[in-house]
Amino acid sequence: MPLRRNVHSTALVGSALAALLLLVGCSAPAASSSNDSAAAEASELVPAAEGTTPYPLTLDSPYGETVLKERPTRIAAIVPNGVDTELLLSLGVTPVLNSNMVSEGGYLDAHGAADLNTYEYVRGEDVPMEAVAAAKPDLIVTVGWVPGFGGVEDIYDRLAKIAPVLTSPASDQRIVPWQESIRLLGEAIDLSDRAEAVIDEHEELFSGIREAHPEFDGKTATWAIYYGPATGLQYFSQNGAAPELFLTDLGFAPNPGAAAFAKDTTVSDELISKIDADVLVLGQSEATTLEEMAERVTDTDLFTSLGAVKSGRFVQLPPKTDDGGDLLWAITSGGPIGNAWAAEQLVPLLAEKF
């Protein structure tokens, strides 16, 4: 666990305490005004504390440790894909800084994403430290960081000079399950009960879907994405990854073929048979066209010979939904809000195939 509670005993000598009381007494009106202002700001940014997380709290990480001396209220969510912002919003927290990619999927706009303070993320470049420092955070969260955006280890020390940093534990998974991340956030912000409530609501929603669609039960499923000629076809529902968890939440069984993509998600011609399943979901990025996708993937003999394609249990998704949402983003980068939205979009399409 990257959270570790500290217990400190502090002794104050009488003369120091007397001097402190005298100082407070002399400046009480100003201090009261300042405290009232700080309390008002905190109440706008975070819900009331639950009183279950003791501070100081040590935040362990694979890169070092930092200490939260008291409950944070100004929280910077700097992960480029915006998933930490989604988790914080689901907890009722308004982060003071976010990646501009927070609106990428479209489904968070209804939750206030368009009004958040953001920094401009440039792929291949570090998160701008000056923007992080200017937001004056008392906690920086990076629990949803995934490969493809550089590494937290490259910027951890610089972040730690600005504020305590909350990361995920070391993992060999490509994507951290959001349930693990929200529990870390909940404890750090003293909102553990609220975090569990978000998880319970998610489980209740998907339990209802499984009950309504017993035809999904036990069927294997694959989620793949075609990114265009340069990157090709990628397997995204590998074991333990967010897309696989989403599909199993719907009632599908893990696909044994996923083991072939544990280290490399590229689907070569030699491996295309491994993507076969009872149901095949194929997404398309905006980096390609339907014509390219047909030529390179869907019209090829190797693809059309797959069992899922021949049986008619093949769902091809456009880059965007009719309302401009991004299903690929919601599944691969989304949390509870994105998953709920994606289920609403995808379940009817899957049900049509049975």
Side-chain angles (χ1 to χ4, degrees), residues 170-250:
S171 172
D172 58 1
Q173 293 296 323
R174 191 169 187 269
I175 299 174
V176 180
W178 67 261
Q179 290 90 339
E180 295 179 15
S181 297
I182 202 169
R183 285 190 171 108
L184 293 174
L185 288 171
E187 183 173 359
I189 309 170
D190 197 11
L191 293 174
S192 290
D193 289 346
R194 187 175 287 242
E196 292 300 328
V198 172
I199 294 172
D200 290 345
E201 289 169 7
H202 169 88
E203 292 178 351
E204 183 178 352
L205 170 65
F206 280 80
S207 176
I209 292 173
R210 291 192 297 273
E211 185 176 340
H213 295 280
E215 67 272 23
F216 298 166
D217 184 36
K219 300 292 192 301
T220 58
T222 288
W223 181 286
I225 301 175
Y226 183 65
Y227 279 100
T231 305
L233 185 62
Q234 300 289 316
Y235 193 100
F236 257 69
S237 52
Q238 63 266 52
N239 296 142
E244 184 192 58
L245 297 178
F246 174 81
L247 291 169
T248 55
D249 272 350
L250 294 179

Side-chain angles (χ1 to χ4, degrees), residues 39-288:
E41 180 192 44
S43 67
E44 294 178 357
L45 296 175
V46 296
E50 294 171 355
T52 57
T53 299
Y55 301 96
L57 184 69
T58 297
L59 309 179
D60 287 325
S61 84
Y63 325 110
E65 66 177 41
T66 51
V67 178
L68 274 173
K69 295 181 179 179
E70 57 188 8
R71 188 194 189 214
T73 57
R74 296 185 57 82
I75 301 161
I78 67 164
V79 174
N81 64 9
V83 65
D84 287 353
T85 295
E86 178 177 346
L87 297 179
L88 290 166
L89 290 175
S90 71
L91 292 172
V93 175
T94 301
V96 296
L97 184 66
N98 313 266
S99 163
N100 64 311
M101 294 173 74
V102 70
S103 293
E104 187 73 17
Y107 51 85
L108 289 180
D109 287 347
H111 298 265
D115 299 323
L116 295 175
N117 181 40
T118 62
Y119 72 87
E120 189 75 18
Y121 175 71
V122 179
R123 186 174 288 276
E125 296 184 9
D126 284 345
V127 172
M129 293 298 144
E130 62 277 9
V132 180
K136 299 180 180 178
D138 48 22
L139 174 64
I140 299 169
V141 297
T142 67
V143 291
W145 202 285
V146 296
F149 298 114
V152 179
E153 66 273 14
D154 298 328
I155 59 173
Y156 178 86
D157 289 340
R158 285 179 285 165
L159 291 173
K161 291 178 180 178
I162 299 172
V165 184
L166 180 64
T167 74
S168 289
S171 172
D172 58 1
Q173 293 296 323
R174 191 169 187 269
I175 299 174
V176 180
W178 67 261
Q179 290 90 339
E180 295 179 15
S181 297
I182 202 169
R183 285 190 171 108
L184 293 174
L185 288 171
E187 183 173 359
I189 309 170
D190 197 11
L191 293 174
S192 290
D193 289 346
R194 187 175 287 242
E196 292 300 328
V198 172
I199 294 172
D200 290 345
E201 289 169 7
H202 169 88
E203 292 178 351
E204 183 178 352
L205 170 65
F206 280 80
S207 176
I209 292 173
R210 291 192 297 273
E211 185 176 340
H213 295 280
E215 67 272 23
F216 298 166
D217 184 36
K219 300 292 192 301
T220 58
T222 288
W223 181 286
I225 301 175
Y226 183 65
Y227 279 100
T231 305
L233 185 62
Q234 300 289 316
Y235 193 100
F236 257 69
S237 52
Q238 63 266 52
N239 296 142
E244 184 192 58
L245 297 178
F246 174 81
L247 291 169
T248 55
D249 272 350
L250 294 179
F252 293 99
N255 188 350
F261 305 97
K263 294 182 179 180
D264 185 352
T265 61
T266 300
V267 182
S268 63
D269 287 349
E270 292 76 17
L271 291 176
I272 197 166
S273 64
K274 297 294 185 180
I275 76 171
D276 204 2
D278 293 316
V279 178
L280 173 58
V281 179
L282 179 63
Q284 172 192 340
S285 81
E286 290 187 290
T288 189

Side-chain angles (χ1 to χ4, degrees), residues 241-332:
E244 184 192 58
L245 297 178
F246 174 81
L247 291 169
T248 55
D249 272 350
L250 294 179
F252 293 99
N255 188 350
F261 305 97
K263 294 182 179 180
D264 185 352
T265 61
T266 300
V267 182
S268 63
D269 287 349
E270 292 76 17
L271 291 176
I272 197 166
S273 64
K274 297 294 185 180
I275 76 171
D276 204 2
D278 293 316
V279 178
L280 173 58
V281 179
L282 179 63
Q284 172 192 340
S285 81
E286 290 187 290
T288 189
T289 65
L290 281 173
E291 291 75 20
E292 288 175 339
M293 193 164 181
E295 179 184 353
R296 301 296 184 102
V297 183
T298 55
D299 284 355
T300 65
D301 291 340
L302 287 172
F303 190 84
T304 55
S305 67
L306 295 174
V309 179
K310 291 192 293 186
S311 68
R313 290 181 177 171
F314 163 50
V315 178
Q316 185 171 347
L317 302 174
K320 299 284 187 180
T321 58
D322 290 340
D323 59 359
D326 192 330
L327 270 171
L328 309 184
W329 191 268
I331 299 298
T332 58

